[in-house]
């Protein structure tokens, strides 16, 4: 794990150093320690043993970074006795009266007694058929979580980035000899783009290996497009025909009983893989089949209502066939609003709200959902108007998490999370900490993050992120339906002027210049700091994109040739920067690289970076024009004059979907000639 060396800004001791007389001093700077880190050795599962070893190494490294003291790590069977920090389901823990079998989901425990410290929690290995993958997302790792809580509370350590541990110096690490904290998270999971075990668990982004989640949609898993050749009747009818289905968003004839049975049997198959909750949801970009049988299905007109009736019937059957297994049904697209033909769902149904917004929540509060709610979040993702620029304010995140706790949300799926660790890292940290405790203050969490992560540049970076937050507070009115089929159609939506307006609103030149100056001063104060390098990579992209948009705004007002050239130069500067970003080797299509464990811009495709994202994000004309070619050939996108008798002149096409030399490669020319019979064009 990559450490961050931090100059002693201040001394942070647990409880401000005011520990009771009966404290257990685990390590003191400049002194040998009697303590050892002792790992459970009877887990019986190689993967759990791996993560217990990781917990031990992390505790050891945190203590070393904080005090300079190294503690030995031993297995319990080899431990000769003495003061110990026990990790995992040790025999010593059971002798202390803790029944590890009684731990609830993701429960974790840190307590001290008689000179001994215990770190343990709910440890569940992957189901048998999934034991081969070593990823932490296949396991519940409560003991590792307990070890990370110890590091944070007593070793002055946070985990701000993937593969980064940041500790502040301390004279000693001490634990009250009567310390006892036992936590069962109210939010059972916060899954999505997984990073690594230490980062995810330290920041309360718990995976849900017990949840059979398809990522949002199950119908297309149950009825694969390969069935089209033999069963075209399974697929949706449009305009009297059943065309070949879309490769990733197939639509179905849901009145067909065989289609319904395939969807239901997939639920049973998934449950029988060992999951205790499985997902049920229609295909993305939903379009209703237009056949007469679908039109009359269940005697209702609204297709969202038809889907709810069908899914409810499946849930009732599933409760009989697989008692004790929950069914998570998404409220999304046509099913976002509550059903009207019934007002109570079966006891085995969890409803996944997608999106989670005040009006959606208010609508569903009138529905009886005994098993509760989870949420599918769209806080992040380069499909938003912002594309590859930051998206959420500190207040938005704090209010959202508080609402989760107030409304007893059980789990979270984070769509698009983790694309901007340089510019959004402090907000990811805030979000994770508030998931566990919504009373934590966002400003204090920002200070904690910066003082651990940026060393002598901490105060300057606090100012940087505070100013960035002010920029993000400027927003447009918007309401996105991510199920909108037009998002998925080639040319299905007009030019996205809103994304241009949003960038111009948030990042006028005065703000860009001040942010740039703050970041440059931070780089001067803390040279070689990797988190600052990452912030610079992402900020330069933001600044160049915003400056291109701002130059476009100037040119639109003036139509002056000089402003047109300035705009094209700004577009070229953005293009050149993106073209110079590091890429993964031997990957086609080209994707952004992984650097120091961080997926730059979420591992996006290079073409997506050029576009500024997908769905609602792409920047159309003129930012997707081949500006370098236009400059070289003296072509501006406005203010040109057609000269009679001159050679044909190339036109600038408006809506290419990709940046490429399309003007030269697909030329459209116009010429004019005056004669006695009129003007010929």
């Amino acid at each position: 794990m990559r450490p961050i060396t931090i100059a002693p800004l201040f001394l942070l001791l647990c409880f401000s150093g005011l520990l009771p007389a009966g404290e257990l001093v685990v390590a003191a700077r400049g002194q040998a320690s009697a303590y050892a880190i002792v790992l459970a050795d009877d887990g019986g599962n190689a993967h759990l043993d791996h993560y217990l070893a990781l917990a031990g190494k992390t505790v050891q490294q945190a203590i070393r970074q904080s005090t300079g003291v190294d503690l030995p790590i031993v297995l319990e069977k080899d431990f000769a006795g003495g003061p110990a920090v026990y990790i995992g389901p040790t025999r010593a823990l059971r002798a202390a009266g803790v029944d590890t079998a009684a731990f609830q989901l993701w429960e974790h425990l840190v307590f001290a007694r008689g000179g001994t410290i215990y770190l343990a929690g709910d440890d569940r290995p992957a189901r048998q058929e999934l034991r081969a993958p070593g990823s932490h997302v296949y396991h519940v790792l409560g003991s590792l979580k307990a070890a990370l809580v110890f590091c944070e509370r007593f070793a002055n350590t946070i985990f701000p980035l993937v593969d980064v541990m940041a500790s502040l110096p301390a004279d000693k690490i001490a634990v009250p000899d009567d310390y006892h904290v036992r936590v069962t998270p109210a939010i059972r999971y916060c899954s999505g783009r997984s990073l690594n075990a230490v980062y995810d668990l330290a920041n309360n982004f718990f995976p849900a290996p017990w949840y059979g989640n398809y990522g949002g949609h199950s119908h297309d898993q149950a009825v694969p497009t390969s069935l089209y050749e033999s069963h075209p009747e399974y697929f949706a009818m449009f305009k009297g025909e059943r065309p070949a289905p879309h490769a990733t968003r197939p639509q179905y004839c849901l009145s067909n009983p065989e289609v319904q049975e395939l969807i239901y049997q997939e639920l049973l198959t998934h449950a029988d893989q060992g999951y205790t909750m499985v997902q049920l949801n229609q295909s993305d970009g939903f379009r209703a089949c237009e056949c007469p049988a679908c039109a009359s299905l269940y005697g209702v007109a609204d297709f969202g209502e038809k889907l709810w009736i069908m899914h409810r019937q499946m849930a009732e059957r599933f409760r009989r066939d697989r008692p004790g297994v929950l069914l998570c049904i998404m409220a999304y697209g046509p099913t976002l609003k509550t059903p009207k033909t019934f007002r109570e769902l079966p006891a085995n149904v969890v409803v996944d709200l997608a999106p989670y917004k005040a009006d959606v929540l208010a609508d569903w509060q009138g529905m009886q959902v005994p098993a509760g709610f989870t949420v599918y979040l769209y806080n992040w993702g380069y499909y938003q108007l912002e594309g590859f620029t930051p998206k959420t304010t500190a207040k938005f995140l704090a209010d959202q998490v508080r609402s989760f706790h107030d409304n007893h949300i059980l789990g979270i799926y984070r769509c698009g999370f983790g694309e901007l660790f340089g510019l959004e890292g402090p907000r990811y940290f805030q979000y994770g900490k508030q998931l566990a405790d919504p009373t934590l203050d966002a400003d204090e969490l920002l200070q904690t993050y910066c003082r651990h992560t940026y060393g002598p540049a901490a105060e300057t970076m606090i100012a940087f992120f505070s100013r960035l937050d002010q920029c993000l507070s400027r927003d447009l009115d918007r309401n996105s339906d991510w199920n909108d089929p037009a998002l998925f159609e080639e040319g299905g939506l007009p030019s996205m002027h809103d994304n241009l307006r949003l960038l111009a609103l948030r990042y006028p030149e005065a703000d860009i210049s001040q942010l740039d100056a703050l970041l440059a001063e931070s780089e001067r104060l803390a040279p070689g700091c990797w988190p600052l390098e990452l912030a610079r990579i992402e900020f330069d992209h933001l600044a160049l994109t915003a400056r291109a948009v701002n130059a476009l705004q100037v040119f639109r007002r003036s139509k002056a040739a000089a402003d047109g050239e300035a705009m094209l130069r700004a577009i070229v500067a953005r293009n050149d920067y993106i073209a110079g970003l590091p890429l993964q080797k031997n990957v086609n299509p080209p994707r952004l690289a992984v650097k120091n464990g961080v997926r730059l811009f979420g591992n996006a495709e290079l073409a997506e970076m050029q576009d500024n994202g997908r769905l609602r994000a792409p920047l159309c004309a003129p930012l997707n024009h081949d500006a370098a070619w236009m400059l070289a050939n003296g072509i501006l996108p406005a203010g040109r004059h057609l000269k009679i008798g001159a050679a044909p002149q190339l036109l600038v096409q408006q809506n290419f979907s990709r940046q490429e030399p399309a003007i030269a490669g697909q030329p459209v020319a116009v010429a004019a000639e005056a004669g006695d019979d009129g003007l010929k064009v």
Side-chain angles (χ1 to χ4, degrees):
M1 184 173 298
R2 185 185 179 94
I4 291 182
T5 302
I6 297 178
L9 297 176
F10 58 88
L11 195 63
L12 177 65
L13 291 176
C14 187
F15 305 112
S16 302
L18 301 178
L19 294 172
E23 68 181 19
L24 308 177
V25 179
V26 177
R29 184 172 297 278
Q31 300 178 26
S33 175
Y35 274 84
I37 299 169
V38 182
L39 307 181
D41 56 22
D42 60 351
N45 181 277
H47 290 292
L48 287 186
D49 292 344
H50 166 79
Y51 289 106
L52 288 176
L54 176 61
K57 291 175 183 176
T58 305
V59 170
Q60 181 189 55
Q61 186 175 351
I63 293 172
R64 181 192 306 126
Q65 280 191 23
S66 186
T67 65
V69 176
D70 251 325
L71 299 189
I73 300 174
V74 297
L75 294 176
E76 189 175 21
K77 64 183 179 180
D78 301 324
F79 184 49
V85 178
Y86 285 101
I87 301 179
T90 58
R91 291 180 290 279
L93 181 69
R94 292 192 291 273
V98 176
D99 179 8
T100 57
F103 280 128
Q104 300 300 304
L105 186 63
W106 282 109
E107 186 175 2
H108 47 278
L109 170 70
V110 178
F111 85 102
R113 180 187 297 167
T116 300
I117 299 166
Y118 303 90
L119 314 176
D122 178 32
D123 294 327
R124 306 183 194 187
R127 300 177 315 283
Q128 184 63 41
E129 74 282 359
L130 290 179
R131 285 190 179 179
S135 172
H136 69 286
V137 301
Y138 296 102
H139 312 276
V140 175
L141 303 169
S143 293
L144 176 56
K145 174 60 180 175
L148 297 170
V149 169
F150 173 86
C151 292
E152 183 170 358
R153 296 194 181 187
F154 297 108
N156 312 320
T157 300
I158 68 168
F159 302 88
L161 292 173
V162 180
D163 292 338
V164 170
M165 172 188 291
S167 302
L168 293 178
D171 286 339
K172 64 180 178 181
I173 293 174
V175 180
D177 62 4
D178 60 350
Y179 188 82
H180 190 284
V181 168
R182 187 164 181 166
V183 176
T184 301
I187 297 174
R188 299 173 186 172
Y189 68 89
C190 185
S191 61
R193 178 181 282 139
S194 63
L195 297 163
N196 68 12
V198 170
Y199 177 84
D200 284 352
L201 270 59
N203 295 293
N204 301 306
F205 301 134
F206 302 125
W210 42 273
Y211 175 20
N213 185 337
Y214 292 105
H217 309 280
S218 69
H219 286 195
D220 53 309
Q221 300 293 318
V223 190
T225 57
S226 59
L227 292 175
Y228 177 74
E229 291 299 323
S230 56
H231 292 282
E233 72 277 9
Y234 288 177
F235 296 86
M237 176 181 288
F238 303 118
K239 298 180 180 179
E241 298 181 353
R242 298 188 189 273
H246 191 281
T248 59
R249 299 180 295 277
Q251 307 300 325
Y252 299 102
C253 184
L254 294 176
S255 63
N256 187 315
E258 293 180 21
V259 170
Q260 292 192 14
E261 188 62 22
L262 286 170
I263 292 170
Y264 180 74
Q265 289 298 323
E266 175 64 21
L267 299 179
L268 299 182
T269 299
H270 219 192
D272 291 344
Q273 292 174 349
Y275 295 109
T276 57
M277 184 167 77
V278 297
Q279 190 174 58
L280 172 60
N281 193 42
Q282 67 275 4
S283 288
D284 210 355
F286 181 81
R287 293 178 63 192
C289 176
E290 298 171 0
C291 79
C294 281
S296 62
L297 184 64
Y298 303 127
V300 295
D302 180 69
F303 228 97
E305 194 74 25
K306 296 177 195 285
L307 284 163
W308 271 119
I309 294 170
M310 182 181 76
H311 288 167
R312 184 176 188 268
Q313 291 177 353
M314 290 181 178
E316 290 171 336
R317 183 180 170 190
F318 189 74
R319 183 171 58 166
R320 296 189 298 270
D321 291 344
R322 297 296 184 271
V325 181
L326 296 174
L327 195 60
C328 187
I329 305 178
M330 289 188 74
Y332 171 75
T335 58
L336 182 60
K337 291 189 176 298
T338 55
K340 301 300 183 286
T341 53
F342 58 90
R343 302 301 294 168
E344 182 177 2
L345 285 163
N348 63 333
V349 171
V350 174
V351 171
D352 194 32
L353 302 176
Y356 181 82
K357 298 190 299 182
D359 59 332
V360 173
L361 187 63
D363 184 31
W364 276 93
Q365 284 175 336
M367 188 80 183
Q368 294 187 51
V369 185
F373 294 93
T374 59
V375 297
Y376 192 109
L377 291 185
Y378 301 97
N379 293 349
W380 301 280
Y382 54 84
Y383 48 80
Q384 305 278 8
L385 288 176
E386 290 90 343
F388 291 99
T389 66
K391 298 166 184 69
T392 55
T393 64
K395 183 180 185 305
F396 171 87
L397 296 174
D399 290 348
Q400 186 183 74
V401 171
R402 193 175 300 110
S403 180
F404 290 159
H405 284 268
D406 290 346
N407 292 286
H408 309 292
I409 298 301
L410 302 175
I412 300 165
Y413 181 85
R414 298 159 298 149
C415 187
F417 174 86
E419 296 157 350
L420 296 173
F421 268 99
L423 296 183
E424 292 186 322
R427 298 310 171 199
Y428 299 160
F429 176 78
Q430 170 200 330
Y431 198 68
K433 295 307 174 188
Q434 290 177 332
L435 286 175
D437 183 357
T439 68
L440 294 174
D441 182 76
D443 288 340
E444 292 179 5
L445 290 169
L446 174 62
Q447 292 171 24
T448 296
Y449 184 95
C450 290
R451 287 168 181 160
H452 280 75
T453 306
Y454 303 114
E459 297 305 316
T460 311
M461 289 306 290
I462 290 170
F464 174 90
F465 286 112
S466 298
R467 184 60 179 258
L468 180 60
D469 202 62
Q470 293 173 13
C471 295
L472 292 171
S473 67
R474 307 168 194 146
D475 205 357
L476 304 175
D477 291 332
R478 47 179 160 170
N479 183 23
S480 293
D481 175 8
W482 297 111
N483 184 73
D484 184 355
L487 287 171
F488 305 106
E489 300 294 332
E490 186 72 28
L493 286 173
S495 298
M496 298 295 186
H497 298 300
D498 278 355
N499 50 21
L500 297 172
R501 290 174 52 223
L502 183 62
L503 286 166
L505 176 68
R506 285 184 173 171
Y507 305 112
E509 180 57 38
D511 288 279
I512 289 293
S513 296
Q514 183 170 15
L515 289 167
D516 196 6
L518 288 167
L519 188 54
E521 174 63 8
S522 298
E523 291 165 328
R524 185 189 70 80
L525 292 170
C529 174
W530 157 237
L532 283 178
E533 180 185 342
L534 183 58
R536 170 58 72 184
I537 291 170
E538 296 171 5
F539 177 77
D540 283 351
H541 167 262
L542 181 157
L544 288 165
T545 302
R547 282 171 169 150
V549 171
N550 292 339
L552 169 62
Q553 300 295 78
V554 171
F555 181 48
R556 278 177 168 166
R557 288 191 293 267
S558 73
K559 304 294 191 299
D563 290 335
E565 291 178 8
M567 177 198 70
L568 291 175
R569 286 195 297 272
I571 295 171
V572 169
R574 176 181 182 269
N575 292 346
D576 289 348
Y577 182 78
I578 292 171
L581 290 170
L583 301 176
Q584 295 184 50
K585 295 181 179 179
N586 304 317
V587 173
N588 191 34
R591 285 186 176 274
L592 275 294
V594 177
K595 188 167 184 177
N596 294 335
V598 175
R599 300 164 179 163
L600 297 182
F601 298 99
N603 268 157
E605 292 183 16
L606 181 62
E608 291 173 324
M609 284 293 301
Q610 292 170 335
D611 291 349
N612 191 52
R614 61 189 187 91
L615 298 186
R616 297 199 183 279
L619 297 170
C620 294
L623 272 78
N624 66 348
H625 286 160
D626 183 8
W629 188 90
M630 293 171 67
L631 278 173
N633 288 273
I635 296 174
L636 295 179
R640 298 168 65 201
H641 298 280
L642 180 62
K643 296 180 180 179
I644 295 172
Q649 298 179 57
L650 292 176
L651 297 184
V652 178
Q653 301 97 318
Q654 182 179 359
N655 285 314
F656 290 118
S657 60
R658 283 284 189 267
Q659 292 197 64
E660 54 189 20
I663 299 172
Q666 304 172 25
V668 178
V670 62
E673 180 182 349
D676 294 339
D677 54 349
L679 179 67
K680 296 179 181 179
V681 179

